[in-house]
Amino acid sequence: LVGKDRASELYLKIKEKVSNRVGIDFEKREFSQNCLPRKIIEFISFANKDPRIVGIIVQLPFPKKLLPRSLEILGAIDPAKDVDCLTPINFGLLAMGKSRFLPATVRGIMAIIKNFKFQSALRVSNRRMAEWTNSKIVIVGGSNIVGKPLALHLSNLGATVTLCHSRTKDLASFTRTADILISATGVPGLIREEMVKKGVAVIDVGSPRGDVDFEKVVKKASFITPVPGGVGPLTVVSLLENVFKAAKKITNS
Ligand code: GUN
């Protein structure tokens, strides 16, 4: 964790609590927002070499000051321990359809899409590519940790994906076409009732407040995830699944 961020601190507390519950040792290391990138990279390099450590994440966002150095810092993580898919190498592999780890939030969203019963026309499965072609997926938000990797992953599975962002001109003209609408912008209330079609499945990735006007959109949607209690808890579980996956790889090699 770099710098002070109340939301990040809360997320890490939850990650620590759930880790301990499932038998994963969790260690938080804090750096001040004024610390030199070299110090963070040094620590990551030690963690890379420590055989007791199987997974490393940097809780995002970085403080503004460190943003220009963020790629350098994230890139220092050993890709084999990169359980949140933060490194350029793992992002590249994901883009090319050879992902080692999905970002935890993306894995959580995939669990929702695969496991919840959408209307039959929208039912999708990664085993049958033909079923992906039935639904139009619109993602709002192009972050490196959610929107972009999710769009790439779904596209690799055979889905047709439209990637928008919070300032897309006439955003509603895109969102209204969606059978599955995923919003991950961090702009509370961005998605309003008139921006979705009846029967849409909505996945709200906004946090700590939802991107979606839940009270109104719930009336039109066939499926909708709440905030809190929707994607958030699945992100934590997905991260820990990635940790087990990383541990298994180390044990097998
Ligand atoms: N900040 C908010 N959500 C996330 C997440 O899923 N992973 C990381 N690393 N940082 C975050």
Side-chain angles (χ1 to χ4, degrees):
L1 176 64
V2 190
K4 284 262 167 254
D5 183 284
R6 278 188 60 81
S8 290
E9 277 167 25
L10 175 69
Y11 298 145
L12 284 179
K13 266 213 179 87
I14 298 169
K15 287 173 186 176
E16 176 167 29
K17 194 171 136 197
V18 183
S19 295
N20 290 335
R21 203 188 295 159
V22 299
I24 294 172
D25 291 328
F26 175 102
E27 199 179 303
K28 181 168 87 174
R29 195 55 63 102
E30 288 180 79
F31 296 88
S32 94
Q33 63 163 349
N34 298 318
C35 100
L36 295 170
R38 182 169 51 82
K39 289 281 168 204
I40 307 169
I41 292 169
E42 261 170 30
F43 172 71
I44 291 174
S45 304
F46 273 116
N48 284 342
K49 286 188 214 104
D50 186 338
R52 296 168 308 150
I53 295 174
V54 296
I56 303 164
I57 70 160
V58 175
Q59 187 67 28
L60 300 173
F62 277 111
K64 273 211 175 73
K65 233 187 195 168
L66 278 172
L67 279 178
R69 309 289 296 274
S70 58
L71 209 57
E72 204 181 321
I73 297 169
L74 297 177
I77 300 172
D78 176 351
K81 299 187 176 186
D82 176 23
V83 289
D84 214 0
C85 195
L86 301 169
T87 59
I89 182 144
N90 281 340
F91 188 99
L93 285 170
L94 180 150
M96 299 170 106
K98 302 271 178 216
S99 67
R100 210 178 319 212
F101 300 107
L102 289 180
T105 310
V106 173
R107 188 170 172 139
I109 294 165
M110 292 308 296
I112 292 172
I113 294 178
K114 284 188 213 162
N115 289 310
F116 282 73
K117 298 262 183 285
F118 291 124
Q119 287 179 343
S120 58
L122 300 179
R123 210 166 285 160
V124 286
S125 139
N126 70 343
R127 277 166 277 128
R128 308 231 326 253
M129 189 184 272
E131 294 183 34
W132 284 105
T133 60
N134 290 341
S135 29
K136 178 145 184 27
I137 302 178
V138 176
I139 300 168
V140 189
S143 71
N144 287 337
I145 187 96
V146 187
K148 252 183 273 175
L150 179 66
L152 289 162
H153 184 63
L154 286 166
S155 170
N156 286 332
L157 293 175
T160 300
V161 184
T162 304
L163 183 56
C164 305
H165 52 77
S166 61
R167 293 182 190 183
T168 293
K169 199 172 166 198
D170 196 7
L171 179 60
S173 69
F174 295 95
T175 55
R176 265 190 227 113
T177 66
D179 298 310
I180 301 175
L181 177 63
I182 301 149
S183 188
T185 65
V187 180
L190 176 73
I191 307 298
R192 300 183 308 276
E193 183 185 13
E194 67 274 18
M195 295 170 72
V196 303
K197 75 175 174 195
K198 200 164 163 32
V200 63
V202 183
I203 298 173
D204 189 346
V205 195
S207 178
R209 283 179 55 207
D211 283 6
V212 179
D213 181 355
F214 185 92
E215 300 302 322
K216 301 251 174 69
V217 174
V218 71
K219 293 177 192 152
K220 277 176 105 173
S222 61
F223 176 90
I224 185 165
T225 62
V227 177
V231 173
L234 280 167
T235 297
V236 177
V237 171
S238 298
L239 176 70
L240 301 186
E241 283 175 339
N242 278 348
V243 174
F244 280 116
K245 191 173 163 187
K248 224 183 255 172
K249 279 212 177 119
I250 292 173
T251 315
N252 290 341
S253 63

